Amino acid sequence: MAGTRANARELYADMLKAMARLLARNPDLIRRQSFVDEFNNTDLGELPAKQR
């Protein structure tokens, strides 16, 4: 999907930055036991459309 290792690193870095921003704005999420399951069940492709 990323094509090259460099592109894969950038995509991964962007995802980590986005998660860090999300958690910084919503620190209560860290304590939720279901956070990882909820994240895994999220359609990430759907999120950009919701942001528009």
Side-chain angles (χ1 to χ4, degrees):
M1 180 177 141
T4 66
R5 284 182 177 228
N7 284 348
R9 275 194 301 272
E10 289 301 317
L11 290 172
Y12 186 69
D14 287 344
M15 194 256 321
L16 286 177
K17 289 179 206 171
M19 289 300 299
R21 284 192 298 268
L22 173 72
L23 294 173
R25 290 180 190 149
N26 303 281
D28 58 304
L29 291 176
I30 296 169
R31 293 186 278 298
R32 289 176 62 165
Q33 292 181 357
S34 61
F35 176 70
V36 172
D37 290 333
E38 290 175 26
F39 179 78
N40 288 337
N41 290 324
T42 300
D43 182 353
L44 299 177
E46 185 179 287
L47 294 178
K50 288 183 178 178
Q51 295 296 319
R52 292 184 206 135

